Amino acid sequence: MVFGFFKDGNELYNEGVDLVKRREYEKATKSFEKCLDKDKCTKKDMARIMLSILGIRTNPNLPGAYLSAAETLRKNGDMSFEFGLTQMNAPDVISECEATAEMLKAQQMPANDSTYEKKGMALINAAQGMQAKVGNRDLIFYDLFRNTRMTGMRLSAMLMAAGFESRAEGMVWEDIKKAAEYLQTANGYWRQFGEAGKDSQGKIKKYSKSCTCWICGREVSGEDVHFFSMPSEISPQLRDARDSPLASADENYESIYACRACYSAISKRIDVIAQYYHNMALTEIANMRSEMHAAVSSLESQINYLRMMR
């Protein structure tokens, strides 16, 4: 047996290549790292390439891992090589790495009211980059490290769907009908990806629904966002009292529709009243507790007095 300490750089590189074929990636990483430490070695450039690809396996969600691999490959020009049983072409790998890094950066952007639109556009741009740079080719690293077959075009459809969903979230307060349009577009891309559109169909229906507020008469769109349903007793005389073509109550006349302003005003007032009575109840309980303690203390004093009189 020849121990690693006595192997030269090229032998260590060949050892790493063999370990990659056996999918013993941790051991392969150590062999390639030892190869770089050897003074006389003609395979150092290839060892760096192998390590950069193994870095993607270790950090599959880190954009920098893909960009580092792309830069390492770019330094070595247009070349083909094997990674285990996978044949790789440097320009294709570089394109995939750059497109994947852009995708991950977009996906990892924060999602909140101030970033939904920006994140949505970043995802759409990443989708377009995936189309242009990878297209119908299978993604090498999905197959290699995730054991999943995924083409650039299919992944692009998923990114487009996610992008329009994010843009929809950003438009909910400003223009909810536009948000519904974005969700419809997202659904089309989800179908291209091979999924049904998650839960967006219900949102689209609610976002598109319009009503007249029973209380203030304002016309508003967006159920459960800009208007809400409130249980009520609607007598027959009141059912046709509204002139607006938009409904102000549900079909069964069991609930009225209230715009967010009216609904929240009522809810907040109810909260204030409930808090007032809650505080009163706590005060009464505290008073009763004090009276009970006083009564118990008085009884204890009387019992002690009677015992002393025996």
Side-chain angles (χ1 to χ4, degrees):
M1 178 182 289
V2 180
F3 294 97
F5 180 79
F6 300 106
K7 293 179 181 178
D8 63 28
N10 290 340
E11 288 175 325
L12 288 165
Y13 172 80
N14 292 332
E15 178 183 76
V17 168
D18 186 58
L19 289 166
V20 167
K21 289 179 180 178
R22 301 206 301 263
R23 292 182 174 267
E24 296 183 43
Y25 295 126
E26 287 78 9
K27 292 181 180 179
T29 298
K30 293 178 181 178
S31 294
F32 291 132
E33 288 173 343
K34 290 177 182 178
C35 167
L36 295 178
D37 291 335
K38 298 293 183 178
D39 293 331
K40 295 181 180 180
C41 179
T42 62
K43 301 290 185 69
K44 286 191 176 184
D45 286 342
M46 284 304 304
R48 292 187 183 94
I49 290 173
M50 293 295 182
L51 285 170
S52 70
I53 293 172
L54 288 167
I56 290 174
R57 174 188 171 272
T58 307
N59 303 284
N61 296 317
L62 186 67
Y66 295 88
L67 293 176
S68 177
E71 184 60 26
T72 301
L73 284 165
R74 192 176 286 109
K75 290 177 181 178
N76 289 274
D78 187 350
M79 61 180 295
S80 295
F81 61 96
E82 288 185 352
F83 183 86
L85 302 178
T86 303
Q87 185 69 31
M88 295 192 178
N89 174 265
D92 289 346
V93 176
I94 290 170
S95 295
E96 179 179 329
C97 286
E98 291 175 343
T100 303
E102 185 179 6
M103 174 189 74
L104 291 172
K105 287 178 181 178
Q107 289 176 328
Q108 292 167 12
M109 288 175 64
N112 53 55
D113 290 342
S114 63
T115 62
Y116 280 131
E117 175 66 15
K118 185 177 180 180
K119 179 170 184 172
M121 290 306 302
L123 286 164
I124 290 169
N125 290 335
Q128 293 169 345
M130 189 66 70
Q131 286 180 16
K133 294 179 178 180
V134 181
N136 288 314
R137 295 198 309 272
D138 286 341
L139 289 157
I140 296 168
F141 297 114
Y142 263 74
D143 183 33
L144 191 60
F145 298 138
R146 304 189 190 195
N147 198 29
T148 300
R149 185 177 178 184
M150 178 73 69
T151 66
M153 292 301 292
R154 183 164 180 260
L155 185 57
S156 172
M158 183 272 284
L159 292 171
M160 291 291 281
F164 276 102
E165 284 184 341
S166 184
R167 294 191 72 189
E169 287 298 317
M171 292 297 292
V172 165
W173 290 102
E174 182 179 342
D175 187 344
I176 200 163
K177 287 190 175 181
K178 190 68 175 178
E181 291 177 14
Y182 284 155
L183 287 179
Q184 285 281 23
T185 303
N187 269 359
Y189 283 111
W190 278 122
R191 285 192 291 272
Q192 288 183 33
F193 183 68
E195 294 188 4
K198 298 183 177 179
D199 301 323
S200 57
Q201 284 291 354
K203 281 187 177 181
I204 292 169
K205 185 177 179 180
K206 287 188 174 185
Y207 288 1
S208 302
K209 189 173 182 178
S210 299
C211 78
T212 298
C213 177
W214 182 283
I215 299 169
C216 72
R218 184 185 298 273
E219 294 182 355
V220 61
S221 299
E223 188 176 12
D224 291 340
V225 178
H226 297 301
F227 76 87
F228 301 87
S229 177
M230 300 177 67
S232 181
E233 293 182 6
I234 307 172
S235 65
Q237 184 178 351
L238 298 173
R239 293 178 183 181
D240 299 321
R242 299 283 170 154
D243 296 328
S244 172
L246 297 177
S248 55
D250 66 359
E251 293 179 355
N252 298 320
Y253 293 100
E254 295 176 348
S255 297
I256 63 171
Y257 295 137
C259 71
R260 191 177 190 92
C262 293
Y263 179 86
S264 61
I266 295 170
S267 299
K268 289 180 183 296
R269 184 57 186 160
I270 290 172
D271 289 343
V272 170
I273 294 171
Q275 187 64 47
Y276 170 76
Y277 283 109
H278 174 72
N279 292 339
M280 282 186 61
L282 290 179
T283 300
E284 289 296 323
I285 291 171
N287 290 338
M288 290 179 63
R289 185 175 294 169
S290 296
E291 291 175 1
M292 288 178 62
H293 282 308
V296 170
S297 296
S298 176
L299 285 172
E300 288 178 344
S301 296
Q302 292 179 36
I303 291 170
N304 291 334
Y305 176 75
L306 291 172
R307 284 175 178 171
M308 291 175 60
M309 295 297 294
R310 286 181 181 179

